Amino acid sequence: MKMSKRLESLQPYLFVEIGRRIAEKKARGEEVISFGIGDPDIPTPPHIIERLCQAAQDPANHRYPESAGLPELRKTIAEWYKKRFGVSLDADKEVLPLVGSKEGVAHIAWCFIDPGDIALVPDPAYPVFSVGTMLAGGTPYYMPLVADNDFLPNLDTIPAHILEKAKLLWINYPNNPTGAVADIDFFNRVVKFAQQHDLAVCHDAPYSEVAFDGYQPVSFLQAEGAKEVGIEFHSLSKSYNMTGWRIGMAVGNAEMIDALRRVKSNLDSGIPQAIQYAAIEALTGPQDCIQEHNAVYQRRRDLVVDMLNSIGLEAKPPKASLYVWAKVPQGYTSVEFTNDLLEKIGVVVTPGTGYGSSGEGYIRVSLTIPDAGLVKGLSRLAGWRSTKRIAW
Ligand SMILES: Cc1ncc(COP(=O)(O)O)c(C=O)c1O
């Protein structure tokens, strides 16, 4: 068989490789504690599941869904944006439900990127921004996210010849993997920059509802003129523990939404309708679950940050997201340290370089681990430190 060059250019998806190594260890009878993937461990709230089961019984929901999503879902999303962010959206032109936000994040490249085009992609970042670009034949230009600039891209350092070929600008706050957040001033600057350089902005915001200490993330669409230059990707995955149901949305600029709808209508046949009804329930039903989940993550965040700092891994408590971004001990690369933790104490974290070369020197620790595992994992980490000290 002759596979495409495009396929050959793909690295194995980070979590597939980590999953393979965990499976190997488990097959040897070893217990592995994973702080790897950001997949909420708390179940989907019962009222959402009930609505899903009810909708699954209705034969009307057994047939092909519309790829543009149920009109009632689009309306619900528009109303949620108004209530949560004060942003007005036209439910028919500016809202598009997705089969999980990953799907839209990957497919938007097909709307903008031709071979030779450039997408501006943060580094480190959720890998799908660059993978989507490469699958469409384009090239990512990486914008380093560094601690000195609060993990925001320094747009002024992007060379003019890159900007000439760039069509898309990716940003993501609250950020995966760094846990950084952005304020409205940053988003206002992004809008101006996009206008100056004729860029379409894609802001990926699946963690906007996962926030701590009373902090409330803002939407990119709250920035002045944002809807003229960009869209925001959103997801029910992390807000309502619905990663398994696969539902998200893109909202904002009508031309971009229409382009994405055109690509999608040729590729997928929509989101199972029972899941769309569950999403309506999630967005309109009781919202206490969000605060309850955040309280759990906040407690875990504090335990993780304290432990990491106590063993010499510098980490700051993030204001939002499901991740702690910590510095590896001196003398290790991210991958060496990650491997060491897995081999010696059976603890999985992800290497910063899995998200891009600027992630070197860091690991990402996910907070989506049940408390019992968390406590065990943290005590193993404490043990690792004392072993290593002797070796130093
Ligand atoms: C930044 C970012 N975008 C998108 C996604 C995908 O979310 P969804 O489950 O909606 O596809 C993730 C998942 O981890 C993510 O971290």
Side-chain angles (χ1 to χ4, degrees):
M1 272 185 273
K2 295 172 194 150
M3 299 298 181
S4 67
K5 292 203 180 77
R6 174 179 316 120
L7 188 71
E8 280 162 18
S9 74
L10 283 187
Q11 301 290 322
Y13 191 60
L14 176 66
F15 293 112
V16 174
E17 175 56 17
I18 291 171
R20 190 187 61 73
R21 296 184 48 207
I22 296 174
E24 266 174 22
K25 284 207 138 255
K26 285 189 178 158
R28 294 201 296 265
E30 295 171 38
E31 188 195 29
V32 174
I33 310 269
S34 179
F35 293 88
I37 198 161
D39 186 0
D41 55 301
I42 309 166
T44 309
H47 64 282
I48 301 175
I49 303 285
E50 260 165 48
R51 185 69 189 99
L52 175 70
C53 295
Q54 212 182 40
Q57 303 284 349
D58 182 350
N61 296 329
H62 299 176
R63 310 192 67 191
Y64 283 125
E66 290 284 336
S67 58
L70 287 165
E72 334 45 323
L73 175 59
R74 294 200 305 270
K75 186 166 161 274
T76 300
I77 292 170
E79 284 167 3
W80 183 83
Y81 252 80
K82 182 77 191 163
K83 199 165 155 197
R84 169 66 178 88
F85 299 115
V87 169
S88 302
L89 294 167
D90 179 323
D92 293 328
K93 298 196 178 115
E94 297 174 335
V95 176
L96 181 63
L98 301 170
V99 192
S101 61
K102 181 178 184 180
E103 177 262 305
V105 165
H107 283 147
I108 191 75
W110 290 93
C111 308
F112 284 91
I113 301 294
D114 289 315
D117 289 341
I118 286 178
L120 306 173
V121 174
D123 166 19
Y126 181 56
V128 187
F129 306 153
S130 49
V131 168
T133 305
M134 291 189 286
L135 284 178
T139 309
Y141 172 84
Y142 293 108
M143 306 177 290
L145 305 186
V146 297
D148 283 350
N149 202 37
D150 298 325
F151 299 106
L152 300 171
N154 188 344
L155 300 173
D156 300 332
T157 60
I158 303 170
H161 70 279
I162 296 292
L163 287 168
E164 265 163 39
K165 288 188 179 172
K167 286 181 155 178
L168 278 183
L169 166 60
W170 280 101
I171 46 173
N172 156 230
Y173 296 97
N175 184 258
N176 175 14
T178 66
V181 296
D183 60 17
I184 200 68
D185 291 346
F186 172 72
F187 289 145
N188 283 332
R189 267 185 282 140
V190 168
V191 171
K192 283 218 179 78
F193 186 78
Q195 284 164 341
Q196 271 163 14
H197 300 287
D198 191 20
L199 296 167
V201 178
C202 291
H203 179 234
D204 189 20
Y207 301 98
S208 75
E209 304 316 293
V210 185
F212 315 120
D213 307 317
Y215 174 73
Q216 275 224 316
V218 288
S219 162
F220 170 67
L221 296 180
Q222 286 172 269
E224 186 129 0
K227 247 206 288 184
E228 279 134 53
V229 296
I231 57 175
E232 184 156 270
F233 289 94
H234 217 291
S235 175
L236 278 77
S237 287
K238 322 283 175 168
S239 317
Y240 299 100
N241 302 343
M242 289 175 70
T243 47
W245 304 115
R246 312 309 304 132
I247 187 153
M249 60 268 207
V251 298
N253 182 274
E255 208 181 333
M256 292 175 75
I257 292 291
D258 184 51
L260 187 54
R261 186 189 295 117
R262 278 166 58 197
V263 167
K264 274 174 59 58
S265 62
N266 282 285
L267 291 177
D268 68 59
S269 297
I271 307 154
Q273 282 188 182
I275 293 172
Q276 297 191 55
Y277 283 112
I280 294 174
E281 177 62 30
L283 293 169
T284 56
Q287 300 295 303
D288 335 353
C289 55
I290 293 187
Q291 288 318 317
E292 285 161 23
H293 302 155
N294 288 349
V296 172
Y297 295 134
Q298 185 173 319
R299 184 171 42 76
R300 291 177 184 170
R301 173 201 69 170
D302 293 341
L303 289 171
V304 166
V305 168
D306 284 352
M307 172 56 76
L308 293 175
N309 282 311
S310 78
I311 62 169
L313 274 68
E314 198 185 304
K316 288 197 180 125
K319 281 190 189 164
S321 88
L322 293 170
Y323 311 110
V324 174
W325 189 236
K327 280 196 181 162
V328 301
Q330 269 194 347
Y332 282 88
T333 66
S334 299
V335 168
E336 280 167 359
F337 183 61
T338 306
N339 287 341
D340 212 52
L341 290 184
L342 182 59
E343 293 314 320
K344 288 198 183 129
I345 57 170
V347 165
V348 176
V349 297
T350 42
T353 43
Y355 305 90
S357 58
S358 299
E360 184 54 273
Y362 289 90
I363 51 165
R364 193 195 76 170
V365 182
S366 169
L367 303 173
T368 58
I369 172 169
D371 287 356
L374 181 100
V375 169
K376 204 181 250 187
L378 292 180
S379 74
R380 284 189 188 185
L381 276 172
W384 177 88
R385 175 196 172 225
S386 47
T387 332
K388 206 51 193 170
R389 248 201 195 157
I390 298 160
W392 284 348

